[in-house]
Amino acid sequence: MSLVTSHKMLLDAQRGGYAVAAFNVENMEMAQAVVSAAEKAQSPVIVQTTSGTLKYAPPSVFAGIVGRLANSAKIPVALHLDHGSGLELAIECIAAGYTSLMIDGSMLPFDNNVALTRSVVSAAGELPVEAELGTVGGKEDGHGADKPQYTDPQEAVRFVEQTGVSSLAVAIGTAHGFYKGVPQLDIGRLEQIHKVLSIPLVLHGTSGVPHDQVRACIERGICKVNYATELRVVFSNGVKQALEHKPDAYDPKQYLSAGREAVEARALELIRLCGCGGKG
């Protein structure tokens, strides 16, 4: 089927008490792996690219790859801009065929975040728009903060009312990149946010978060779970192991296939963790 928006996916997840797994990809092989894993799990899936990834290859390239994969897939696939850096990039992604957008003004003062987000919501038309309030720790493609600022529930209400976003990424103690210890999420804060907002909530920085904490978040309103670092690691390790086994290999298909297989296996595990297997 053709690419679909993430809107129905997340509303279905909200009603069903599960989350849709969203995976950041860096190349064709990772995109193939994610869609293949979703098909095996019979699950909807969101394929994502960050602003940094779109400096490596433009939105039209990823829209072409993921769009073709979606056309031959038997499950719903959305193509999402993750951590969009500004209105210009959002418009470029819309023109290329992206079906879901995130604008990240979380490092800006509240009013500036609102203004930027509203501009993207207006440009997106019927496409769903995700935003972030509060800051997720760590760094990934230049996003995140050394000292995270947790999402304030009442401020979140004002933000959603003033922007009209479709979903909201919340800051409750997760971080981009690698954790230096076991993360301790503020589940109580998430419960408070869930009580006052009706839109789907999103969890960023989930790579490395213990499975029981991920499930606890899903039980408290998280409808979309983002994974990035984890897939980068398993893809790179798969390629490294293939080259260690055959150091004289010169055909990229040989060792990139190993990375693809590693990503597919891990993505399948994470889809099942989110509880969205069999929902496609």
Side-chain angles (χ1 to χ4, degrees):
M1 61 179 71
S2 301
L3 285 168
V4 301
T5 77
S6 61
H7 186 63
K8 183 177 183 298
M9 286 186 189
L10 298 191
L11 291 181
D12 287 346
Q14 189 177 50
R15 287 189 290 265
Y18 60 91
V20 178
F23 299 104
N24 286 28
V25 302
E26 310 296 334
N27 54 26
M28 180 187 74
E29 288 77 15
M30 293 178 74
Q32 288 175 314
V34 165
V35 174
S36 179
E39 286 203 285
K40 288 184 177 179
Q42 297 183 330
S43 167
V45 71
I46 299 173
V47 181
Q48 307 188 147
T49 58
T50 64
S51 299
T53 300
L54 295 179
K55 293 177 182 177
Y56 179 71
S60 58
V61 170
F62 284 97
I65 292 170
V66 180
R68 290 291 184 177
L69 292 173
N71 287 344
S72 59
K74 296 180 180 179
I75 44 90
V77 179
L79 178 58
H80 179 76
L81 169 64
D82 186 33
H83 290 289
S85 56
L87 177 60
E88 184 177 348
L89 179 59
I91 291 173
E92 186 179 356
C93 287
I94 294 168
Y98 277 56
T99 56
S100 183
L101 305 166
M102 180 199 178
I103 182 65
D104 186 357
S106 61
M107 300 297 290
L108 301 173
F110 181 86
D111 289 343
N112 299 72
N113 191 356
V114 167
L116 174 61
T117 302
R118 286 179 63 180
S119 70
V120 173
V121 170
S122 177
E126 296 184 357
L127 292 183
V129 176
E130 171 190 336
E132 183 173 320
L133 186 65
T135 54
V136 175
K139 296 284 185 180
E140 181 180 48
D141 282 352
H143 300 287
D146 294 327
K147 294 182 179 180
Q149 180 180 347
Y150 287 12
T151 305
D152 177 84
Q154 295 307 316
E155 197 172 60
V157 172
R158 290 196 294 123
F159 183 83
V160 171
E161 290 176 346
Q162 293 179 33
T163 60
V165 290
S166 307
S167 59
L168 185 69
V170 295
I172 57 169
T174 55
H176 295 118
F178 292 104
Y179 288 96
K180 296 180 179 179
V182 178
Q184 296 297 323
L185 307 189
D186 191 341
I187 300 298
R189 181 179 297 269
L190 177 59
E191 287 181 334
Q192 294 173 22
I193 297 169
H194 181 42
K195 286 178 181 178
V196 297
L197 289 184
S198 60
I199 63 172
L201 304 178
V202 180
L203 189 67
H204 283 238
T206 320
S207 295
V209 175
H211 289 186
D212 61 337
Q213 291 195 51
V214 175
R215 293 191 184 98
C217 289
I218 294 171
E219 291 170 0
R220 292 161 176 82
I222 292 295
C223 302
K224 174 175 177 274
V225 179
N226 282 23
Y227 290 98
T229 302
E230 197 155 346
L231 295 198
R232 290 174 174 176
V233 170
V234 297
F235 180 82
S236 298
N237 287 344
V239 171
K240 291 173 185 176
Q241 290 169 10
L243 289 173
E244 287 176 3
H245 182 64
K246 292 185 177 181
D248 295 330
Y250 60 87
D251 184 349
K253 294 188 293 295
Q254 294 179 355
Y255 47 85
L256 294 180
S257 295
R260 180 173 60 194
E261 291 169 5
V263 169
E264 181 178 326
R266 187 60 181 143
L268 185 56
E269 293 175 3
L270 297 173
I271 288 170
R272 289 170 173 162
L273 170 63
C274 291
C276 53
K279 309 295 185 182

